[in-house]
Amino acid sequence: MKVFIIGASGLVGSNCLSYFKENKWEVVGTYFSYPAKDTVFFDTLNLNNTENFDVRAFQPNVILHCGALTHVDYCEHHEAESYDKTVLSTKNIIALTNELNAKLVFISTDYIFDGVDGPYEETVKPNALSVYGKHKLEAEQAVLAAASNNIVIRITNVYGDEERGKNFVSRIIEQIKAKQKLQLKLPIDQYSTPINAHDIARCLFLLLKDNKNGVYNISSTDYMNRVQLALTILKYFPNADYELMPMTTEEINAPAARPLQGGLKNKKFMTEYSDFSFSTVDDYISKKK
């Protein structure tokens, strides 16, 4: 299998890059703004950029689109940029995959739902609340309409190992180990299904190996709010210096609306891969002590 990973400098992309390589696939991973280890430059908004890696010469079987503008509140105030980096870039990649006769995998989110009655199965009708969610939904719909063999996976609240350690779980662990005092103002009413990026890579490997298509929700067994997630981390570091301030989403008053009862159900994936075992937040943190 030859896989071209767009956004391999990020959390999901980097885990897919390393896991696919471990399993002897031929993989090229790209970056746009942050040149992570073992990645090459690629600009999805300008496929004719002379600095771009020559993907046409590589001739991948699969293009995995992990690149995204994921700052939800930033997207709310920068709608045009959000559209370009989520929707327009995806449409460019669709054209590229069609040209190369490749399979396209798009990474989506539970933010395409309104959070009234989650966690969600794949068949539930989306109702995005934010600019970020609406653009993700538009992009995934374009991917599914482009070819019947394409895949959309939906994930949320991703954590795990990455070069920059940007995710919520990693940041807290790094700050604790650096003996910094944590000031945690966290929503107590936003629920989701945290998932380890390594597990996402393992799931995608199976889906691609078996030539699956359509929409898959990928989630573990954890279902918690941000306060519970923080406390799960902190219980492994009894000497951590922190101040935890639970707040409602209304009190936080962020620019972008969030799905409160969010998260994803993985029944479809588990029906097809009943022997697959997901890790938990506890599994991950217990190894980082």
Side-chain angles (χ1 to χ4, degrees), residues 3-8 28 30-32 41-48 52-53 55-56 60-69 83-107 136 138-140 142-147 150-152:
V3 185
F4 186 62
I5 302 177
I6 295 169
V28 171
T30 79
Y31 75 91
F32 178 68
F41 178 82
F42 196 81
D43 180 1
T44 59
L45 292 176
N46 181 8
L47 298 183
N48 296 315
N52 280 354
F53 173 81
V55 62
R56 293 174 177 87
N61 309 110
V62 175
I63 295 181
L64 170 56
H65 183 18
C66 300
L69 181 60
Y83 179 87
D84 287 348
K85 291 185 176 178
T86 299
V87 182
L88 182 57
S89 69
T90 301
K91 289 182 176 180
N92 288 345
I93 296 165
I94 288 171
L96 180 63
T97 55
N98 289 343
E99 176 190 339
L100 297 173
N101 195 30
K103 183 189 196 79
L104 177 57
V105 182
F106 179 73
I107 309 296
K136 276 291 194 179
E138 185 173 349
E140 74 163 58
V143 169
L144 293 170
N150 290 342
I151 297 176
V152 167

Side-chain angles (χ1 to χ4, degrees), residues 157-197:
N157 209 353
V158 185
Y159 62 90
D161 295 340
E162 63 175 326
E163 190 170 307
R164 286 180 285 180
K166 288 174 59 181
N167 64 85
F168 179 78
V169 172
S170 293
R171 286 202 315 270
I172 289 182
I173 293 173
E174 287 177 7
Q175 289 172 346
I176 292 172
K177 289 185 174 181
K179 301 190 183 302
Q180 299 175 12
K181 181 172 182 177
L182 303 176
Q183 299 285 344
L184 301 171
K185 295 182 179 180
L186 300 173
I188 199 166
D189 55 353
Q190 292 179 25
Y191 286 81
S192 65
T193 45
I195 179 77
N196 191 324

Side-chain angles (χ1 to χ4, degrees), residues 67-84:
L69 181 60
T70 58
H71 193 313
V72 178
D73 290 330
Y74 181 89
C75 290
E76 202 69 19
H77 290 311
H78 300 81
E79 189 167 352
E81 183 181 352
S82 174
Y83 179 87
D84 287 348

Side-chain angles (χ1 to χ4, degrees), residues 80-255:
E81 183 181 352
S82 174
Y83 179 87
D84 287 348
K85 291 185 176 178
T86 299
V87 182
L88 182 57
S89 69
T90 301
K91 289 182 176 180
N92 288 345
I93 296 165
I94 288 171
L96 180 63
T97 55
N98 289 343
E99 176 190 339
L100 297 173
N101 195 30
K103 183 189 196 79
L104 177 57
V105 182
F106 179 73
I107 309 296
S108 193
T109 171
D110 71 334
Y111 273 57
I112 66 168
F113 298 110
D114 57 22
V116 173
D117 193 26
Y120 294 94
E121 294 185 2
E122 291 86 352
T123 55
V124 176
K125 184 178 179 180
N127 182 31
L129 302 176
S130 63
V131 167
Y132 168 76
K134 290 173 182 177
H135 287 163
K136 276 291 194 179
L137 178 58
E138 185 173 349
E140 74 163 58
Q141 288 173 336
V143 169
L144 293 170
S148 60
N149 198 38
N150 290 342
I151 297 176
V152 167
I153 69 159
R154 294 172 181 155
I155 55 178
T156 186
N157 209 353
V158 185
Y159 62 90
D161 295 340
E162 63 175 326
E163 190 170 307
R164 286 180 285 180
K166 288 174 59 181
N167 64 85
F168 179 78
V169 172
S170 293
R171 286 202 315 270
I172 289 182
I173 293 173
E174 287 177 7
Q175 289 172 346
I176 292 172
K177 289 185 174 181
K179 301 190 183 302
Q180 299 175 12
K181 181 172 182 177
L182 303 176
Q183 299 285 344
L184 301 171
K185 295 182 179 180
L186 300 173
I188 199 166
D189 55 353
Q190 292 179 25
Y191 286 81
S192 65
T193 45
I195 179 77
N196 191 324
H198 181 69
D199 284 348
I200 296 170
R202 293 168 58 222
C203 291
L204 276 174
F205 178 82
L206 293 173
L207 294 173
L208 290 173
K209 180 175 66 71
D210 295 336
N211 197 29
K212 299 290 188 176
N213 59 73
V215 180
Y216 285 84
N217 291 345
I218 304 299
S219 62
S220 182
T221 55
D222 290 312
Y223 189 66
M224 59 181 68
N225 61 47
R226 282 278 172 153
V227 173
Q228 292 170 326
L229 178 56
L231 290 173
T232 300
I233 301 167
L234 290 165
K235 73 183 181 183
Y236 288 93
F237 300 94
N239 296 321
D241 186 9
Y242 69 93
E243 184 178 358
L244 178 59
M245 292 157 278
M247 302 175 70
T248 66
T249 298
E250 184 177 5
E251 289 170 334
I252 294 173
N253 194 28

